[in-house]
Structure formats: structure tokens, C-alpha cells
Amino acid sequence: MVVFSSVISYLLVPGVLIDWWRIILFFAGGMLVTGSANTINMVVEKDTDALMKRTAKRPIASGRITPEQGLGFAVLTGALGVFILGYYFNWTAALLAAFSLFLYAFVYTPLKKINSVAVLIGAVPGALPCLIGWVAGFLPGQEIAWLGGIIMFGIQFFWQFPHFWAIAWVAHQDYSRVGFKLLPSDKGPTKFTALQTLVYTLLMVPVTLAPFFTGISTTAGTKGITALIFVILANIFMIVRSVILYNKMDVASARKVMFGSYLYLPVILLALLLAKA
């Protein structure tokens, strides 16, 4: 999902070269960096992963791979991914990717046991791939128009809160068992958590419409109108699911928000690409 959104952000850059070789290369670089960050996470959390049902079968937690092997893999993939982004695209994108990897693996990961602010911190490396994709679309030496990248960053940044809180709601028992503090309320799944989920879902409305007002996408023509309709319908879809969670306060409703968010983001991103200005 992270690499997909990064590639879409890359394709949204005005005048970007639609070269399938470069797209595949960018996708590979993103997968390598993401894989490195996830592997470091598994090395650091091998003991807690082994205690949770949803993560007990991960390679390091289950003992199929040693932590040393995992760390070696992470260093290799991270370095190769950053090199690909820098050498074939530009070094600004590569530096952002390296920063994102560091923030996810060494700040967000250990913070999960300390304070729920970890979700806020983790949303930054979670959203940076959109900014990385946007920046990578500019040729070396070309002036970067940062506004578009910041808007794309904002879409994925705000999306992560209802998405991740829904996951934390569903997996609350697992997370609590190992001391993870990932819900906005220290009392677990509460009305406050459901309200926060709804608030951030509502914030997605202006954020996802921003590309149409800043020239990234257009409402002109059939494609533009169709894209705008899809964006509006996707937001209504998520708002309804969040309202149901607020009213019912149960795991089934949280699971619907979680799976709905997996559908929501690709629809939004593909709609913006369909209406690219």
C-alpha cells in the first residue's frame, strides 16, 4: 500500500516521464526501503511479536531467521533502495527515504511501548512515501514544486489515523498483552477513540479535495467529474463506517473501518490520477 501510493504520487507530477522502466525501478527502490524498515521493526520487536497471535509467525519471531540475518538483510535492502532512488531519480528523494526509514525503525518502533503519540510519529514515515514519490518525479537539478508533494503527504498522513486506530481496536487484546499504547485513550477502545476516528475521517474530506483546487487534478471533462464523484463517494463511505463505529462501539464495526480504509485510499489515489491536470 505504501509503495503503491508512492508510485501514484510519482505519476501525478506534472510532466513526469511515463517510462515503464523507471516506474518499475522506482517501485523496486520503494519496496527495498520499506522492506528494510519492516525488517528492522521485526528485529527490534522479535520478543513482543512472538507473544502476539497476529505476529507470532513472522520469520524472526518464529525463529526461522536469526536477528543477525534479519539485520544484514535490512542493511542491504535499505542501502540498495536508497541508492536506486538517488542514482536513478534524485538525491532529495533518496534522503527523504533514508529519513523515513530511520524514523519508522528507530523512533516510532520503540515509542509504541511508551506513549500513544507513537501513532502520530509513525504517521510521518507512513506518509513520507507520497512526498518521496512526488519529489522523485522531478529531474535532477529541476526545481521542485513542493506544494503538490505536501498535499499528497497530507492525504496519507490523515488517512493513517482512522486506519490504524481501527487496527488497534481489533487487535487491542494482543497489543495490550505486550504493552503497546496505540489508542488515543489509555482505557482502550472508548467513545473518545471512536470520536477521534470520526474526526480524522471528516478531515479527509478537505484534504482529498485539495488536489482539485491546487492544479494536481482537474474537474474538467468526463474524467475530472468522474474522479470528483469517486472522491466524494469514497469519503461518504468512510464517514458512514466511522459513524457506525461511534454508535455501535464493537470490534465488528472497527473491522469494517479497517477494511474500508484499505479500499478507500487506492480509490482516492486512482481517482486523482484519472483526473490528472
Side-chain angles (χ1 to χ4, degrees), residues 118-137:
V119 177
L120 174 63
I121 301 298
V124 176
L128 274 174
C130 287
L131 181 58
I132 293 165
W134 181 270
V135 170

Side-chain angles (χ1 to χ4, degrees), residues 115-117 119 165 168-169 172 176 180-196 249:
N115 194 284
S116 60
V117 74
V119 177
W165 283 332
W169 190 306
H172 177 62
S176 296
F180 285 166
K181 300 174 181 179
L182 298 171
L183 288 172
S185 171
D186 57 6
K187 296 179 181 178
T190 62
K191 274 286 186 182
F192 180 71
T193 298
L195 179 61
Q196 289 293 299
M249 293 290 296

Side-chain angles (χ1 to χ4, degrees), residues 1 3 17 38 52 77 92 98 119 128 134 137 177 198 217 235-236 260 262:
M1 180 75 82
V3 179
L17 298 173
N38 287 340
M52 294 191 293
T77 53
T92 304
V119 177
L128 274 174
W134 181 270
R177 187 181 303 119
L198 177 57
S217 299
N235 278 296
I236 292 172
Y262 282 123

Side-chain angles (χ1 to χ4, degrees), residues 40-244:
I40 293 171
N41 175 273
M42 288 187 225
V43 171
V44 174
E45 295 185 345
K46 63 183 186 302
D47 296 329
T48 51
D49 279 352
L51 297 174
M52 294 191 293
K53 183 179 178 180
R54 65 186 295 272
T55 56
K57 293 183 180 180
R58 286 179 176 176
I60 298 174
S62 63
R64 300 198 307 277
I65 294 175
T66 68
E68 292 76 18
Q69 289 171 330
L71 190 58
F73 176 83
V75 171
L76 179 64
T77 53
L80 183 57
V82 169
F83 172 78
I84 288 173
L85 294 176
Y87 185 80
Y88 290 101
F89 296 91
N90 61 66
W91 289 104
T92 304
L95 288 172
L96 285 171
F99 175 68
S100 178
L101 192 162
F102 171 81
L103 199 58
Y104 179 87
F106 300 107
V107 180
Y108 162 69
T109 294
L111 195 58
K112 288 193 286 185
K113 284 191 173 184
I114 299 173
N115 194 284
S116 60
V117 74
V119 177
L120 174 63
I121 301 298
V124 176
L128 274 174
C130 287
L131 181 58
I132 293 165
W134 181 270
V135 170
F138 292 85
L139 297 172
Q142 184 180 3
E143 185 178 353
I144 298 171
W146 288 93
L147 178 60
I150 291 170
I151 290 172
M152 297 310 297
F153 171 92
I155 290 174
Q156 189 139 309
F157 179 81
F158 286 104
W159 167 82
Q160 287 176 89
F161 292 94
H163 167 74
F164 195 78
W165 283 332
I167 294 175
W169 190 306
V170 172
H172 177 62
Q173 289 186 346
D174 250 3
Y175 284 159
S176 296
R177 187 181 303 119
V178 297
F180 285 166
K181 300 174 181 179
L182 298 171
L183 288 172
S185 171
D186 57 6
K187 296 179 181 178
T190 62
K191 274 286 186 182
F192 180 71
T193 298
L195 179 61
Q196 289 293 299
T197 301
L198 177 57
V199 167
Y200 277 88
T201 302
L202 290 170
L203 286 173
M204 288 299 298
V205 178
V207 175
T208 53
L209 290 175
F212 292 102
F213 296 99
T214 55
I216 297 174
S217 299
T218 178
T219 56
T222 304
K223 287 184 178 180
I225 295 172
T226 302
L228 182 61
I229 290 172
F230 269 109
V231 169
I232 292 171
L233 289 177
N235 278 296
I236 292 172
F237 169 77
M238 278 301 294
I239 290 169
V240 168
R241 291 203 163 199
S242 296
V243 169
I244 291 172

